[in-house]
């Protein structure tokens, strides 16, 4: 394999291919400086791609259809079958706007904790903002907290109060588009605490009292019998 080279889409070295969400993209691998038929292999990540006969020798093409968000960051590699060190890799940079929409209504008892969660996946990563009743949200220290990763955006509220009632909006903005999701938070009155322990104690006392009464009257019961 000395002197043999490969190229993918006319690129002889590893490269990144930027694309949007599209019906399909093609990758074409070509052998250079070959004096005989050379078999080619394609890999998606660590898994080998199944190629049809007639699409393996000296030139090989694969098609990604459709291009999806899950293809972002995936590496496709073309290798020479008899010397796998001869290879060229292409990493997909799939760009897409925030996929965020809809609304949700949450009923939370006063004093409980609640977490509002948005799927913030996008490429490039979007700028995030939280609003309350269409106004920029000012976090209350030690009671409201934000948590964010590349795919999740959360607003947590501990010990909710009646003043927390309202519509919270998660807004994501990128150069490719925007997305929002509304959360209608309804804080309900505290439910009265059922005195379970007291009721159990009362039942035990009544039961014991009845048993003692039966024991005390056993002679009368036997005499009647």
């Amino acid at each position: 394999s000395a002197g043999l080279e490969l190229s993918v889409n006319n690129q002889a070295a590893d490269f990144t291919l930027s694309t949007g969400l599209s019906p399909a993209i093609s990758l074409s691998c070509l052998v250079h400086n070959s004096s005989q038929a050379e078999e080619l292999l394609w890999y998606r990540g660590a898994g080998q791609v199944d190629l049809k006969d007639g699409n393996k020798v000296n030139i090989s093409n694969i098609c990604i259809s459709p291009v999806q968000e899950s293809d972002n960051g995936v590496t496709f590699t073309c290798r020479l079958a008899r010397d796998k060190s001869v290879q060229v890799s292409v990493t997909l940079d799939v760009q897409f706007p925030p996929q965020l929409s809809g609304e949700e209504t949450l009923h939370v008892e006063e004093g409980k904790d609640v977490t509002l969660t948005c799927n913030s996946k996008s490429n490039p990563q979007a700028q995030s903002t939280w609003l309350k009743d269409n106004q920029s949200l000012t976090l209350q220290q030690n009671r409201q907290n934000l948590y964010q990763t590349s795919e999740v955006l959360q607003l947590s509220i501990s010990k909710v109060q009646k003043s927390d009632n309202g519509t919270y909006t998660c807004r994501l903005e990128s150069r490719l588009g925007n997305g929002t999701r509304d959360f209608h938070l309804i804080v309900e009155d505290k439910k009265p605490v059922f005195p379970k322990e007291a009721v159990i104690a009362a039942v035990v006392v009544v039961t014991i009292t009845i048993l003692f009464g039966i024991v005390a009257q056993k002679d009368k019961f036997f005499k009647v019998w």
Side-chain angles (χ1 to χ4, degrees):
S1 59
L4 286 179
E5 294 182 353
L6 301 182
S7 67
V8 173
N9 290 13
N10 298 320
Q11 301 285 334
D14 296 349
F15 67 102
T16 298
L17 177 62
S18 294
T19 180
L21 301 175
S22 63
I25 59 170
S26 296
L27 301 176
S28 180
C29 184
L30 179 65
V31 179
H32 299 272
N33 306 323
S34 63
S35 58
Q36 63 183 51
E38 295 288 353
E39 183 181 355
L40 295 170
L41 305 174
W42 272 105
Y43 292 82
R44 176 190 170 104
Q48 188 170 345
V49 178
D50 186 23
L51 299 174
K52 293 182 179 180
D53 292 338
N55 188 30
K56 300 178 180 180
V57 179
N58 289 344
I59 185 170
S60 181
N61 301 289
I62 61 171
C63 181
I64 300 97
S65 176
V67 180
Q68 302 174 330
E69 293 97 330
S70 58
D71 294 316
N72 184 46
V74 174
T75 297
F76 290 86
T77 302
C78 179
R79 291 185 175 126
L80 197 66
R82 67 185 179 96
D83 184 354
K84 293 183 178 60
S85 66
V86 180
Q87 65 176 40
V88 176
S89 295
V90 51
T91 302
L92 297 187
D93 175 30
V94 182
Q95 301 191 351
F96 53 94
Q99 306 292 316
L100 191 63
S101 62
E103 58 184 325
E104 183 178 350
T105 299
L106 301 171
H107 296 264
V108 183
E109 184 181 340
E110 187 177 7
K112 300 289 187 180
D113 299 341
V114 67
T115 299
L116 315 181
T117 302
C118 282
N119 178 359
S120 61
K121 193 173 182 180
S122 63
N123 184 34
Q125 187 169 344
Q127 296 294 318
S128 62
T129 307
W130 279 98
L131 308 174
K132 182 186 179 186
D133 298 328
N134 293 321
Q135 302 293 323
S136 182
L137 176 65
T138 301
L139 295 178
Q140 296 183 24
Q141 191 174 9
N142 299 326
R143 213 173 61 82
Q144 296 177 331
N145 294 286
L146 293 180
Y147 171 78
Q148 184 173 5
T149 68
S150 60
E151 297 186 6
V152 174
L153 180 65
Q154 292 181 329
L155 169 65
S156 63
I157 306 174
S158 60
K159 299 180 180 179
V160 295
Q161 304 170 358
K162 288 291 187 178
S163 59
D164 294 319
N165 267 313
T167 297
Y168 294 79
T169 302
C170 170
R171 176 183 291 171
L172 299 176
E173 300 178 353
S174 81
R175 58 180 176 79
L176 298 180
N178 305 324
T180 61
R181 184 172 181 82
D182 289 336
F183 298 87
H184 306 294
L185 182 62
I186 300 173
V187 181
E188 300 178 335
D189 292 335
K190 272 189 177 181
K191 296 176 183 177
V193 178
F194 188 69
K196 183 170 63 176
E197 292 80 3
V199 170
I200 292 175
V203 170
V204 171
V205 170
V206 171
T207 302
I208 292 174
T209 302
I210 293 173
L211 289 175
F212 276 120
I214 293 174
V215 171
Q217 300 295 324
K218 66 178 181 178
D219 292 340
K220 292 182 179 181
F221 288 146
F222 288 142
K223 188 177 291 184
V224 171
W225 179 257

